[in-house]
Amino acid sequence: MAKLYFRYGAMNSGKSTALLQVAYNYEERGQHVLVIKPRVDVRGNDTVVSRLGVTRTVDVLLDSTDDVFEALEATGRMASTSAILVDEAQFLTPRQVDDFLRVAVMDGIPVLAYGIRTDFRTNAFPGARRLLEISHSLEELKTICRCGKKAVFNGRIVNGSFIFDGGQVAIDGVDSGYESLCARCYLRESGGKLGD
């Protein structure tokens, strides 16, 4: 049975790089993948962008109102697809996550979703929350904090300073910057504040 996988990590943990490597591995063996990302992620426009400099044009850009099944069928490639790879999966809606589970189980196509769990205030993104609830497999991709400990949080930086108020979505490198932080460094920067 095909499964829904959620591979998550803090910013700079190599999620997009891992997705691109998986796509390469499938294609090197003559198999086809569909690469998808939510349209709200304007960094790279219609490409998956790895911080290592590797890029790849996506097959599908999903709006929050898009029906997953219609978007996949519109590619005309479902019959030949061996896997579906989703970048920035935290931006999916819960309904879209449910649909990707249906694709994996009912259509027999593995869906590998890559994203972050929480925003800069430590609140779960709706898509990430749903992925954590229903994915068959959860895998944490690890990175380190400036102090050398394991980073688990994402601090938002605007004009050189950490901020802890604002909208949930601000795209890295476009609207703001981010730094991966361990819990101790996050609490130090936030003045002990967690969540809203």
Side-chain angles (χ1 to χ4, degrees):
M1 176 181 80
K3 297 179 180 180
L4 173 61
Y5 300 83
F6 184 34
R7 296 177 175 167
Y8 64 90
M11 299 289 290
N12 301 315
S13 61
K15 297 174 300 297
S16 296
T17 302
L19 179 150
L20 293 168
Q21 181 67 52
V22 168
Y24 176 84
N25 290 347
Y26 270 96
E27 291 170 343
E28 182 181 43
R29 287 160 181 81
Q31 298 180 3
H32 301 284
V33 299
L34 285 176
V35 177
I36 298 169
K37 80 172 191 174
R39 190 180 302 274
V40 69
D41 177 28
V42 295
R43 187 174 72 90
N45 298 315
D46 66 346
T47 60
V48 173
V49 178
S50 163
R51 294 184 198 293
L52 295 180
V54 181
T55 63
R56 179 195 175 113
T57 302
V58 300
D59 300 296
V60 177
L61 283 173
L62 275 180
D63 285 311
S64 62
T65 57
D66 285 347
D67 178 271
V68 167
F69 296 105
E70 289 176 9
L72 294 175
E73 286 302 323
T75 67
R77 295 178 34 207
M78 283 300 288
S80 65
T81 296
S82 297
I84 295 170
L85 310 176
V86 183
D87 197 34
E88 303 294 348
Q90 71 272 7
F91 296 135
L92 296 172
T93 66
R95 178 184 54 80
Q96 289 171 330
V97 172
D98 290 351
D99 286 345
F100 279 120
L101 175 70
R102 289 182 185 99
V103 167
V105 173
M106 304 306 288
D107 294 333
I109 301 171
V111 177
L112 293 81
Y114 295 80
I116 58 177
R117 292 181 307 163
T118 60
D119 66 16
F120 71 109
R121 295 170 300 190
T122 70
N123 296 319
F125 284 95
R129 178 181 295 120
R130 191 65 180 145
L131 283 159
L132 289 165
E133 292 168 343
I134 68 170
S135 292
H136 293 98
S137 175
L138 301 171
E139 179 184 345
E140 183 179 17
L141 302 177
K142 297 172 182 68
T143 191
I144 59 170
C145 178
R146 59 171 92 148
C147 69
K149 292 186 172 72
K150 178 181 153 191
V152 294
F153 296 120
N154 305 297
R156 183 180 288 172
I157 302 169
V158 175
N159 298 323
S161 298
F162 284 98
I163 65 164
F164 298 91
D165 293 308
Q168 186 172 48
V169 177
I171 303 302
D172 182 32
V174 176
D175 303 314
S176 60
Y178 290 89
E179 182 178 339
S180 304
L181 299 168
C182 70
R184 177 183 297 263
C185 289
Y186 182 91
L187 290 169
R188 185 177 299 129
E189 292 293 341
S190 71
K193 182 179 178 182
L194 289 170
D196 288 330

